Amino acid sequence: MHRVVITGLGVISPVGNTKDDFWRSLLAGVSGIGPITRFDASSMATRIAGEVKDFDPAAFLDRKEVKRMDRFTQYAVVTARMALNDAALDPKSVDPERIGVVYASGIGGIETLEDQARTLLEKGPGRVSPFFVPMMIGNMAAGQISIHIGARGPNFTVVNACASSANAVGEAFRLLQRGEVDVVITGGSEASVTPLAVAGFSSMKALSTRNEAPQAASRPFDRGRDGFVLGEGAGTLILETLEHAERRGARIYAEVAGYGCTADAYHITAPDPEGRGSSRAMQLAIADAGLKPEDVDYINAHGTSTDLNDRLETLAIKQVFGSHAYKLAVSSNKSMIGHLLGAAGAVELIATALTIYEGVIPPTINYEDPDPECDLDYVPNKARHQEVKVALSNSFGFGGHNASILLRKF
């Protein structure tokens, strides 16, 4: 089995459209949550989101290409280019059949779907764009990345709700472990701050309605949490076999050492009330890496700012780690960027890799009134300088999907 390392990172997020801006914002505890500007949300119960700001796709893509891509695909292709540049990897220097793309989106081109449904109803079927289907379908991020990069290896898309991109990274890890490829471009993208998506999540009572104080709305593990905040963006990672990375003298952020993937088999939206699926995902990732629970220093939590998730994720951590749970640092990037749905796992894994590489843990902001059932060390409100040798990143999704990735300092 081959060892697998992370050599390149690309991010577009509500707190920055480059890896460096994203990381600086996380460490400073900057919130990217604000009033929705992309459409008129005045009639909605929730009128806030973590929108991507100041993103100009024409700075990276041909204008004709821009018009033929949904925003989620634009984010994916641009972050893939960023990640390759960050890795100092020219795809032309690698056998194209040895480059894979494993990508994810929970929802795909919902903005295009809404726009073209409106066109159908208002103007008739003859006015629906011939590019509607290839813009909307969820696999198009992976397809467009491979077209732009010239990657001819394994190429597929993972759709697993909020665990999607964590699963994508895990499956990329497996391809590389088995030696089927040398490089995989992996991650996830989401652009679902749209009227239908916001209305749908609002109807489920899943979203925070703290509209008058948007930057304080996402508050994982805090007693006053009232729902998650929808976010958008993309995270792309370059994974390579260790041999390939060392052969070209690549910088290595961290080693991907373990992957756990489970199902709750319980409910379409609610997590297992005993935390069995999520705890087992963590256990599998730790065992896959050949480590023990007490070897883990830090957990980048799923930490959604919903009542059930935060309470049950805390319970699952205690089940896995026992007394060591109280020695762990645990934090949630969602306190600052909101919930990026299918892109969350990848973006948060990028933050985890940077935590290991830089030796700084981003905080959980808005942690003001501790919930007695959430009693771990959530790195409250201020970044912490601490060496992290082993970290887990958790992602759990509707349908009972659980994924946990273990990174180790290289």
Side-chain angles (χ1 to χ4, degrees):
M1 297 284 273
H2 296 266
R3 292 172 67 186
V4 178
V5 293
I6 299 169
T7 58
L9 306 171
V11 187
I12 291 171
S13 79
V15 296
N17 295 339
T18 67
K19 176 201 69 177
D20 292 340
D21 287 346
F22 166 75
W23 184 237
R24 274 193 296 268
S25 294
L26 288 189
L27 296 188
V30 172
S31 172
I33 311 303
I36 292 171
T37 63
R38 191 155 287 124
F39 61 90
D40 180 5
S42 60
S43 63
M44 296 195 173
T46 292
R47 300 185 291 279
I48 56 174
E51 293 182 329
V52 166
K53 306 161 191 76
D54 304 318
F55 172 68
D56 179 13
F60 304 91
L61 301 165
D62 179 87
R63 291 190 179 276
K64 188 180 290 185
E65 290 180 314
V66 170
K67 290 181 179 178
R68 295 176 180 179
M69 290 185 192
D70 186 271
R71 276 189 309 120
F72 94 98
T73 304
Q74 295 171 13
Y75 293 163
V77 173
V78 171
T79 56
R81 288 185 171 183
M82 289 176 176
L84 286 165
N85 288 338
D86 187 54
L89 178 61
D90 179 359
K92 293 185 176 66
S93 69
V94 184
D95 178 351
E97 295 181 1
R98 301 284 297 174
I99 304 175
V101 181
V102 183
Y103 220 76
S105 183
I107 294 181
I110 189 169
E111 188 171 61
T112 297
L113 178 63
E114 290 182 41
D115 177 63
Q116 292 300 302
R118 203 159 36 243
T119 297
L120 173 66
L121 294 173
E122 294 174 0
K123 299 179 181 179
R127 298 295 296 275
V128 171
S129 169
F131 295 103
F132 162 55
V133 172
M135 287 174 70
M136 178 270 297
I137 51 180
N139 68 301
M140 200 46 67
Q144 287 278 22
I145 289 170
S146 70
I147 291 166
H148 278 77
I149 303 307
R152 296 200 186 104
N155 186 297
F156 59 93
T157 296
V158 178
V159 181
N160 246 9
C162 306
S164 297
S165 56
N167 284 125
V169 174
E171 297 307 314
F173 169 55
R174 292 287 187 243
L175 285 174
L176 288 157
Q177 274 191 316
R178 294 193 298 265
E180 295 183 31
V181 285
D182 299 316
V183 177
V184 181
I185 302 162
T186 185
S189 181
E190 207 77 89
S192 52
V193 180
T194 70
L196 187 59
V198 173
F201 283 118
S202 288
S203 293
M204 294 173 63
K205 310 295 184 190
L207 298 180
S208 171
T209 55
R210 202 181 286 253
N211 296 305
E212 307 311 314
Q215 294 189 341
S218 186
R219 42 199 318 110
F221 308 107
D222 183 87
R223 194 201 300 254
R225 65 192 184 275
D226 71 327
F228 76 83
V229 177
L230 191 62
E232 63 173 358
T236 300
L237 303 92
I238 305 303
L239 268 54
E240 303 182 51
T241 61
L242 177 59
E243 301 95 320
H244 190 270
E246 288 188 327
R247 197 159 55 240
R248 66 182 194 86
R251 170 190 52 196
I252 293 170
Y253 286 105
E255 179 177 359
V256 184
Y259 169 45
C261 173
T262 68
D264 284 351
Y266 172 72
H267 190 269
I268 57 172
T269 57
D272 180 338
E274 296 180 18
R276 288 171 295 192
S278 49
S279 62
R280 192 161 146 265
M282 288 185 270
Q283 288 167 338
L284 289 170
I286 294 166
D288 191 35
L291 298 176
K292 300 173 183 177
E294 54 268 31
D295 294 323
V296 177
D297 305 304
Y298 167 64
I299 297 176
N300 189 315
H302 189 53
T304 58
S305 186
T306 61
D307 175 57
L308 284 177
N309 175 87
D310 295 0
R311 188 157 43 83
L312 294 174
E313 185 170 14
T314 298
L315 174 65
I317 290 169
K318 292 176 183 177
Q319 288 172 347
V320 174
F321 293 95
S323 61
H324 185 64
Y326 293 94
K327 300 174 185 176
L328 288 166
V330 180
S331 71
S332 172
N333 303 149
K334 291 183 181 75
S335 62
M336 293 170 274
I337 62 176
H339 194 339
L340 273 61
L341 306 180
V347 172
E348 292 161 17
L349 192 66
I350 287 171
T352 308
L354 289 168
T355 293
I356 289 174
Y357 189 70
E358 300 285 354
V360 192
I361 301 173
T364 304
I365 68 166
N366 300 320
Y367 186 74
E368 297 167 348
D369 184 8
D371 181 339
E373 293 189 77
C374 299
D375 59 348
L376 302 178
D377 174 8
Y378 302 111
V379 192
N381 303 312
K382 188 176 179 181
R384 179 182 301 166
H385 288 266
Q386 176 183 324
E387 183 181 23
V388 174
K389 293 181 179 178
V390 178
L392 281 171
S393 184
N394 288 337
S395 298
F396 312 135
F398 284 175
H401 303 283
N402 307 297
S404 192
I405 306 280
L406 187 142
L407 299 185
R408 180 165 53 198
K409 189 166 187 171
F410 180 73

